[in-house]
Structures are given as structure tokens and as C-alpha cells.
């Protein structure tokens, strides 16, 4: 539980690693004051000798004094909030390279010379030793099922995890924008030649309605390995967004493309590359990629295409079915999904566009309309979160909720006659930031000066 985070401080060629149970949710606010305060804050956290995995890590920061480089990621509300954070950090970390870790914890690990694969989340579920058959598993975990399998069928000791299910986003939640050009070959069957029939196929992961996922949330925090931009260098050398203020490529959000694209059928539109189909699942791009081409198309074939997004998306995936070329952008992290999913996308060539959503829109020539990026709203949320973090930030709220939940569970178990022992209590493994008044005032001024 928690918004787990790592901090790495590198000085004079040596580095130390720290851990916080709750730092991921407040990562943005804790970094805003600049190098000196952020280093002091990180050094007050719990020093640790190991890494958590990338599915459990909600934020991380490498503060490299030797190279004057901040490489980081953390929880953000949306694209506008992240753009505002990058704009302010470019000022409070003046003289430093401020870079977003697009592959999440994997980028941090690679930057200190360790193997990103060492922090990849498990892709399998270990079956308890006392559960030997499908029926035993289903009785123990009533929300899960193995469709088409006999209750007496033996289970392997580990099961592959299936992707989390996807549903269309509603108007209140950020979405991933999926665009598709070209046509699926007629009669295309997701079962390759030689693939075993259903009755003989290996036992898949159990289904729980919407599918299981490796971290129970289906995202990477913005929740999402390979170093997507070499050293993570920002496009303008300072780690800010493309126009130097964290704003969208055209200053107001996305390129809107040519107006009046002709629509085809149930919502598909004709762009410069032919018929374009667009969809907006309430899922993160890593979850979309996890499905593989056939699994993804099977899901989307049952949906009605859209021609616009109600809210500005947080990530995007573009597929060209004719050339088998694909691209992905994100305002969060990918968490090494392009490496992990390479087998499912055999024969496809992927491009990573970091946060450049205009790359996707350029390929559909105005067939999809995005709303303007709410830059003012992003700065407003940034300021509000910063103020909240000075008095009772996410760490305090999270620890309170965790203690309430565990307290209620303990009381219930003891009332039933069970003895309860706490194996480990990490609910308060976090040291809140304690800024001097002048440091907090400086951050407030920078936010006000950078806001539109």
C-alpha cells in the first residue's frame, strides 16, 4: 500500500538510495523548492539497500550533483499539471537539466549503472502451495474464474498475468487516445498457425471480470526500463516542455489539425492517411500495449469510434495496420512495457514519442479533435497541491487511512478470537518536508510568475 517512492542522491561519484512509503504522490511538491531543499528532504528519508519494483513505485528522483541533473517522475493530475510542474522546475532548478523519466524507475536504475530489468514487476502470479487444481483456486478466490476449464484440472505453480480489461472512458476521466489507420486483414484470426486448440492450450491467468494486472491498479501511476531518450535529455536541454514553459506543442494543447474531416460510418474519419478510427479507453497506454495487436483490436472492434476527446488525454497510441508501425506518447511512464511486450508485437516497429502528442495527431490529419490544454488550471492545481503539502500532504492522509483500515481489521480479527501480530509496520516510513517560510515564499512567487 502507499505511494512508494525512491530518491537517489549522487555526489562525488558515489550515490545513496532512499525510500518513502508515501513520497510518490507528493514528489512534484517536494522537488519544487530546488536542489538544496530537495536534497535535504531526500536525505531525511529511510536509507535502503534495495529497490522496489516498477509496478509498486509511484515516483522516483535522481538528484545528481556531479552532472547537475534531476531525473524524475511522480504522480500528476493530468497533462496540464505536469506541464506546469516542468515549467516551474526549470526555474527553481536553474542551471540543472530537469528530465522526466519516461520509463519510470527503470530509467533511474539505468542512470546509476544498474540493470533496469532488475526492477521489472513480475509477469506471473505464484499459486499458493495448498491450491493444486482449478476448482481449489476458484473456491479460494471467488472473484476469479478459468472459463472452459475442468475443476479437477491441475494448476501450474505460476500463472501468467493477463492485461487489465479496458472500458471506454467517461467524460470525467482522462483517457488514452488510440488512433488506427489502415484495415485489419479480412479473416484475420488471432490464433497463429500451429497454435494449440483451446482445450489443449496452457492454462491462462484467472479472469476477474476486467482482468488482473501486476499491481492491482492497471497503471504505473502515471502510474508506466529502456532509456527512452538515451540519457533522458530533454528536448530543449533543460527538461522543460517543447516550448520552454511546459505547455503543449502549439502553445495551447495539441495541434488541432485541419477542420472538417469527413467522417465515415460509426465515427471513423478520413484523414490524410485514409480512414482513421479513434478510441478513448480509460486506461493507461502501457495497459493498451499489453493487450498485443490482436487482443487490442478484438476489444476495439466492439466499440464505437470517436472523433474528439472530452478531456485532454494523458497518453496516446497510434497503430498503422498496413505498415505495422506504431507510436506511443505519455505524460506518465511506460515502465519498460515496450521491452516486455515485444513478443506480443512481433513484426511491429514501435516509436517512442515521449510526451509529443502532436506526433500522433500529425498521422491522422485532423481526424480527431482535442480540447485545448488547460494551462491555467494546471498551475492552479500545482499551487494548491504545494500548499496542501506544507500542512497535511498525501503522506499524512495515506498513513491515517492505512492505520484506520488495519485498526479495523485487527479489531475484527481479535473479536473473532484470532491473535493478530504486526509483521511489519511501514505506514510512516516518510519524513514530511519542512520548508523554511522564505523557501516556501520563493516557490509561490515562481509559480505565480510562470503561470499564464
Amino acid at each position: 500500500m502507499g505511494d512508494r517512492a525512491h530518491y537517489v542522491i549522487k555526489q562525488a561519484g558515489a550515490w545513496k538510495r532512499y525510500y518513502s512509503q508515501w513520497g510518490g504522490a507528493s514528489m512534484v511538491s517536494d522537488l519544487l523548492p530546488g536542489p538544496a531543499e530537495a536534497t535535504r528532504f531526500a536525505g531525511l528519508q529511510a536509507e535502503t539497500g534495495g529497490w522496489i519494483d516498477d509496478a509498486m513505485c509511484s515516483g522516483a528522483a535522481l538528484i545528481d550533483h556531479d552532472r547537475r541533473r534531476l531525473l524524475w517522475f511522480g504522480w500528476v493530475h493530468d497533462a496540464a499539471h505536469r506541464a506546469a510542474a516542468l515549467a516551474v522546475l526549470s526555474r527553481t532548478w536553474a542551471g540543472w537539466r530537469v528530465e522526466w523519466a519516461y520509463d519510470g524507475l527503470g530509467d533511474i536504475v539505468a542512470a546509476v549503472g544498474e540493470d533496469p530489468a532488475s526492477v521489472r514487476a513480475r509477469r506471473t502470479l505464484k499459486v499458493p502451495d495448498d491450491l493444486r487444481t482449478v476448482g481449489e483456486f476458484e473456491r479460494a478466490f471467488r472473484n476469479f474464474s478459468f472459463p472452459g476449464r475442468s475443476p479437477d484440472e491441475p494448476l501450474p505453480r505460476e500463472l501468467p498475468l493477463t492485461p487489465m480489461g479496458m472500458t471506454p472512458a467517461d467524460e470525467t476521466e482522462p483517457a488514452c487516445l488510440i488512433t488506427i489507420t489502415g484495415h485489419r486483414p479480412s479473416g484475420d484470426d488471432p490464433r497463429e498457425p500451429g497454435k494449440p486448440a483451446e482445450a489443449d492450450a496452457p492454462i491462462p491467468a484467472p479472469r476477474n471480470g476486467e482482468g488482473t494486472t501486476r499491481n492491482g491498479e492497471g497503471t504505473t501511476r502515471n502510474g508506466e526500463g529502456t532509456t527512452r531518450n538515451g540519457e533522458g535529455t530533454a528536448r530543449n536541454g533543460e527538461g522543460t516542455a517543447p516550448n520552454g514553459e511546459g505547455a503543449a506543442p502549439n502553445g495551447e494543447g495539441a495541434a488541432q489539425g485541419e477542420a472538417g474531416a469527413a467522417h465515415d460510418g460509426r465515427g471513423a474519419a478520413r484523414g490524410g492517411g485514409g480512414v482513421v478510427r479513434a478510441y478513448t479507453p480509460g486506461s493507461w497506454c502501457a495497459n493498451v500495449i499489453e493487450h498485443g495487436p490482436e487482443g487490442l483490436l478484438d476489444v476495439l472492434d466492439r466499440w464505437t469510434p470517436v472523433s474528439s476527446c472530452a478531456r485532454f488525454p494523458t497518453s496516446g497510441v497510434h497503430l498503422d495496420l498496413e505498415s505495422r508501425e506504431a507510436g506511443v506518447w505519455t505524460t506518465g511512464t511506460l515502465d519498460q512495457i515496450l521491452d516486455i511486450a515485444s513478443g506480443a508485437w512481433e513484426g511491429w516497429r514501435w516509436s517512442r514519442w515521449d510526451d509529443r502528442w502532436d506526433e500522433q495527431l500529425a498521422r491522422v490529419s485532423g481526424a480527431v479533435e482535442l480540447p485545448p490544454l488547460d494551462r491555467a488550471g494546471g498551475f492552479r492545481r500545482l499551487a494548491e497541491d504545494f500548499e496542501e503539502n506544507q500542512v497535511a500532504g498525501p503522506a499524512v492522509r495515506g498513513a491515517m487511512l492505512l492505520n484506520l483500515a488495519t485498526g479495523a481489521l485487527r479489531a475484527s480479527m481479535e473479536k473473532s478470537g484470532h491473535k493478530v501480530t504486526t509483521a511489519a509496520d511501514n505506514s510512516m516510513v516518510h519524513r514530511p518536508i519542512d520548508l523554511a517560510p522564505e523557501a516556501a515564499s520563493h516557490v509561490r512567487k515562481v509559480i505565480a510568475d510562470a503561470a499564464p
Side-chain angles (χ1 to χ4, degrees), residues 310-451:
R311 297 183 61 187
F312 200 89
T314 53
S315 59
V317 173
H318 176 72
L319 306 179
D320 186 327
L321 301 183
E322 306 291 340
S323 65
R324 290 200 161 198
E325 293 183 346
V328 57
W329 64 268
T330 179
T331 56
T333 60
L334 292 174
D335 295 325
Q336 310 185 71
I337 189 61
L338 293 184
D339 282 351
I340 295 168
S342 58
W345 291 86
E346 185 177 358
W348 284 73
R349 186 175 67 182
W350 278 88
S351 296
R352 199 191 62 240
W353 297 327
D354 294 347
D355 61 359
R356 302 190 301 275
W357 50 78
D358 52 320
E359 297 275 4
Q360 181 176 20
L361 297 184
R363 285 157 176 78
V364 298
S365 301
V368 184
E369 183 178 357
L370 300 188
L373 191 69
D374 182 12
R375 297 187 64 227
F379 279 92
R380 183 176 60 253
R381 283 186 290 271
L382 186 70
E384 291 171 350
D385 286 356
F386 178 76
E387 295 301 334
E388 183 182 7
N389 197 49
Q390 308 312 304
V391 290
V396 175
R397 294 196 308 275
M400 288 175 59
L401 291 173
L402 179 59
N403 288 332
L404 285 172
T406 55
L409 180 61
R410 175 186 290 273
S412 176
M413 295 293 288
E414 290 177 344
K415 186 176 181 180
S416 301
H418 299 282
K419 182 179 179 180
V420 180
T421 301
T422 301
D425 184 0
N426 59 2
S427 61
M428 287 304 294
V429 183
H430 178 85
R431 178 74 177 268
I433 196 167
D434 53 345
L435 286 181
E438 56 271 21
S441 295
H442 175 66
V443 173
R444 294 185 187 106
K445 183 179 186 305
V446 174
I447 293 175
D449 290 345

Side-chain angles (χ1 to χ4, degrees), residues 154-303:
L155 282 176
R157 293 302 81 203
E158 290 194 3
L159 297 171
L161 289 177
T162 61
M164 185 178 182
M166 295 191 307
T167 56
D170 62 33
E171 294 186 356
T172 66
E173 60 183 331
C176 174
L177 172 63
I178 302 174
T179 53
I180 301 173
T181 58
H183 294 281
R184 194 174 186 179
S186 59
D188 202 6
D189 193 323
R191 293 171 296 181
E192 299 84 11
K195 184 175 181 178
E198 177 66 22
D200 301 321
I203 293 180
R207 292 184 185 176
N208 68 342
E210 288 300 329
T212 57
T213 179
R214 62 186 182 278
N215 67 353
E217 293 295 332
T219 67
T220 58
R221 305 131 314 273
N222 303 0
E224 242 19 54
T226 55
T227 305
R228 292 198 266 306
N229 53 358
E231 287 295 326
T233 303
R235 293 186 296 284
N236 65 352
E238 290 296 338
T240 58
N243 68 350
E245 288 296 330
N250 68 350
E252 285 298 328
Q256 298 298 322
E258 297 178 6
H263 289 276
D264 179 29
R266 297 180 303 160
R270 294 190 179 277
V275 175
V276 178
R277 296 171 304 288
Y279 307 89
T280 52
S283 302
W284 199 249
C285 58
N287 176 234
V288 171
I289 296 171
E290 275 186 310
H291 282 75
E294 299 301 341
L296 178 60
L297 293 173
D298 285 346
V299 171
L300 298 181
D301 279 350
R302 301 191 294 269
W303 293 12

